Amino acid sequence: MTRTSESLSPQLHDYLVAHSAPVDPVLADLAEETARLYPDLTTMQIGPEQGTFMTLLARIAGARDVVEVGTFTGYSATCMARGIPDDGTLLALDISEEWTAIARRYWERAGVAHKIDLRIGPALETLRTLPEGPRFDLAFIDADKEGYTGYWEELVPRMRPGGVLLVDNTLSHGRVVDPAEDSAQVQGIRDFNDRAAADERVELVLLPVGDGLTLARKRA
């Protein structure tokens, strides 16, 4: 046993992926196309082990209604949509027609397009147009880091009791603990982490998955 999380070397990460559920051709092709078209934006896409985790979590939680803030080319939405029943819904929010055009193609290939409601526009504005009151079983935030706290404040009241929120990049590549890092992006993550940790509406843990993944459960 160990009291701290292991730091993953490239070799250990490869081993981890090899001993998880295999990545199917749809997700493999999506990751390859995204890397080819947007080589400078590959960090905006989650890794295969996180995708598998999110599929399993959606199934374990029995999620039917899901919301995603920040869709990019659709990898995470594909994974979550696979974890909900055939009559479930995933509300995907993004600002880019270009990126989500790729997502739409792969959702069709994956057979999950009928579950996904994609809305293009500023996510905070879209969230504020939604009916107030609990409706979502699972939420995933992976968009502009300065906006995380705003998204959180709109989503927590709209989560059902026991609903799960996932928030990506909450370690900001280790920069959250570097006093020399003072960019708006890093400070946005710090502000969000402080807010979420103090939020009595949820219980949460910050996991060393990918670039940091906060997992929260709304209290009853």
Side-chain angles (χ1 to χ4, degrees):
M1 298 195 304
T2 178
R3 292 282 293 168
T4 61
S5 297
E6 296 286 347
S7 177
L8 293 182
S9 66
Q11 294 81 10
L12 194 55
H13 179 262
D14 289 344
Y15 182 88
L16 179 154
V17 172
H19 289 79
S20 300
V23 177
D24 67 278
V26 175
L27 290 176
D29 289 350
L30 173 54
E32 186 281 328
E33 182 172 347
T34 301
R36 175 169 49 83
L37 293 176
Y38 307 109
D40 297 329
L41 300 178
T42 54
T43 56
M44 290 176 58
Q45 188 172 75
I46 65 170
E49 71 278 15
Q50 185 172 332
T52 301
F53 171 74
M54 291 167 68
T55 301
L56 289 174
L57 182 63
R59 290 176 179 154
I60 292 168
R64 301 184 64 87
D65 293 293
V66 181
V67 58
E68 174 180 75
V69 180
T71 294
F72 192 37
T73 57
Y75 195 108
S76 54
T78 303
C79 294
M80 290 187 291
R82 285 175 163 175
I84 63 177
D86 200 53
D87 60 350
T89 60
L90 189 156
L91 176 61
L93 309 180
D94 204 279
I95 58 171
S96 174
E97 292 278 7
E98 178 184 344
W99 295 340
T100 55
I102 297 169
R104 288 182 187 276
R105 287 195 284 108
Y106 281 91
W107 294 337
E108 290 289 347
R109 278 188 59 187
V112 298
H114 65 287
K115 304 180 188 181
I116 299 176
D117 176 10
L118 174 64
R119 301 190 192 179
I120 302 296
L124 194 61
E125 295 179 12
T126 304
L127 290 173
R128 287 172 175 165
T129 68
L130 299 178
E132 296 182 4
R135 62 171 287 185
F136 294 114
D137 305 302
L138 176 63
F140 181 47
I141 301 174
D142 186 15
D144 58 296
K145 311 314 171 191
E146 300 93 323
Y148 270 25
T149 300
Y151 302 138
W152 177 264
E153 295 299 339
E154 293 299 325
L155 282 170
V156 172
R158 292 176 169 86
M159 302 301 297
R160 294 189 176 115
V164 175
L165 299 101
L166 295 172
V167 187
D168 207 20
N169 303 116
T170 45
L171 292 178
S172 193
H173 303 287
R175 295 175 296 186
V176 288
V177 295
D178 184 351
E181 289 285 352
D182 59 359
S183 69
Q185 185 179 64
V186 175
Q187 192 56 48
I189 292 293
R190 290 189 186 117
D191 291 344
F192 166 75
N193 288 340
D194 290 344
R195 172 68 186 104
D199 195 333
E200 296 184 352
R201 297 171 296 178
V202 302
E203 50 189 338
L204 62 76
V205 60
L206 200 171
L207 299 168
V209 174
D211 181 31
L213 183 68
T214 295
L215 169 65
R217 176 184 178 273
K218 187 176 179 181
R219 298 182 190 273

